[in-house]
């Protein structure tokens, strides 16, 4: 292991990257404040990024709410703030480069068709492998569609995603794939093996936009010069896939720290989709930012 302590090497660059599809809650506050603490401790910079590729769920009021919540917490960020929706051409270029290299393929399957195929395999007694999030791996229905057929279907306007050909991607690796993890206390680094195969032929570009969370985040981290990524443990497994995309696209790989999640008294993680109490709700109840910071250990 090697040390990455204050004063050694270039100043670190971190980022807080929320999605504007709901209001921030205490879990987001913890992640933002931890990023800020590490950046301050090491004399680095903390950037804000708005991850708004999901155009159907993004709302201007959610973006405004994010900015208001972070300001309330006392956090300040350099301008301009990067918004993913303004950089679709960058992600399309990365997607096209992987397509030209035979690393991804168009998938014309609907969610219903995929679910039916998975169910049919299970009914036949075949094993149904699942990804780290518990979803069945894509069964590979479109992996062997001929290039001519795929092109013709795309030219006819057939809806499609782009999937990573995991087997082909792994064959391109000249050396083992690893991830650098760091301690937020002393910066000590350790290297661990990555296992992206457990994600199968993951989607790298959606039907509606030329990217996915996975593709956008590795492109953005490279463009913004992110050296250290601090995010929740719920994204730890995804780092294996991110490490693979970084290698395939010849992008620099940050060091990672995945912090524990803030949970309810019942042990459930906080989530926008579950209606967890938002920072705006706390503020409306008269809770101060100082109280929130103290509650979260800051």
């Amino acid at each position: 292991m090697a040390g990455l302590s204050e004063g050694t090497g270039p100043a670190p660059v971190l980022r807080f990257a929320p999605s504007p599809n709901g209001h921030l809650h205490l879990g987001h506050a913890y992640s933002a404040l931890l990023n800020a603490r590490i950046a301050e401790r090491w004399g680095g910079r903390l950037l804000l990024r708005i991850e708004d590729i999901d155009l159907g769920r993004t709302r201007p009021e959610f973006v405004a709410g994010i900015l208001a919540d972070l300001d309330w917490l006392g956090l300040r960020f350099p301008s301009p703030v990067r918004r993913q929706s303004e950089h679709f051409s960058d992600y399309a270029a990365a997607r096209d480069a992987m397509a030209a290299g035979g690393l991804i393929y168009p998938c014309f399957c609907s969610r219903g068709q995929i679910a039916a195929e998975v169910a049919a395999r299970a009914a036949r007694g075949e094993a149904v492998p699942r990804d780290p999030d518990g979803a069945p791996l894509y069964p590979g229905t479109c992996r062997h569609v001929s290039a001519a057929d795929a092109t013709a279907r795309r030219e006819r306007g057939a809806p499609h995603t782009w999937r990573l050909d995991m087997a082909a991607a792994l064959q391109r690796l000249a050396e083992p794939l690893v991830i650098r993890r760091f301690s937020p206390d002393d910066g000590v680094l350790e290297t661990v093996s990555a296992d992206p195969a457990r994600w199968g032929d993951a989607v790298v570009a959606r039907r509606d936009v030329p990217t996915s969370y996975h593709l956008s985040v590795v492109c953005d981290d490279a463009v913004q010069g992110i050296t250290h990524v601090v995010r929740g443990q719920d994204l730890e497994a995804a780092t294996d896939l991110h490490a693979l995309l970084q290698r395939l696209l010849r992008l620099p790989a940050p060091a990672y720290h995945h912090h524990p999640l803030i949970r309810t008294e019942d042990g459930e993680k906080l989530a926008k989709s579950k209606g967890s109490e938002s920072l705006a709700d706390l503020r409306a109840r008269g809770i101060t930012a100082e109280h929130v910071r103290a509650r979260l250990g800051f």
Side-chain angles (χ1 to χ4, degrees), residues 191-296:
T191 300
V192 298
S193 297
D195 182 20
R198 56 185 175 154
W199 288 100
D201 289 4
V203 171
V204 295
R206 296 165 31 161
R207 290 171 180 258
D208 54 337
V209 293
T211 188
S212 64
Y213 165 73
H214 303 298
L215 181 59
S216 297
V217 74
V218 299
C219 291
D220 289 341
D221 284 345
V223 168
Q224 294 189 286
I226 303 302
T227 62
H228 294 72
V229 172
V230 177
R231 57 190 182 188
Q233 287 177 338
D234 54 339
L235 289 171
E236 185 167 10
T239 308
D240 289 4
L241 184 56
H242 298 171
L244 178 59
L245 292 174
Q246 288 156 355
R247 180 76 67 84
L248 296 175
L249 291 168
R250 300 181 181 179
L251 301 176
Y256 292 86
H257 170 70
H258 293 91
H259 59 74
L261 302 178
I262 304 298
R263 298 185 179 275
T264 67
E265 294 180 357
D266 297 330
E268 293 290 328
K269 74 172 185 177
L270 301 181
K272 301 171 187 173
S273 60
K274 296 180 180 179
S276 298
E277 189 172 35
S278 69
L279 298 182
D281 292 334
L282 294 174
R283 191 158 64 249
R285 290 203 290 113
I287 304 298
T288 66
E290 290 72 20
H291 177 84
V292 168
R293 293 174 72 102
R295 176 178 172 180
L296 297 174

Side-chain angles (χ1 to χ4, degrees), residues 57-101:
R57 298 174 63 196
T58 294
R59 298 285 185 273
E61 58 268 28
F62 291 150
V63 177
I66 287 171
L67 299 178
D69 288 339
L70 296 175
D71 183 70
W72 177 67
L73 288 171
L75 299 176
R76 306 292 183 267
F77 301 89
S79 295
V81 172
R82 184 176 177 89
R83 293 191 58 161
Q84 289 184 334
S85 59
E86 298 173 352
H87 300 279
F88 283 136
S89 61
D90 295 340
Y91 312 136
R95 176 204 62 192
D96 293 345
M98 286 193 291

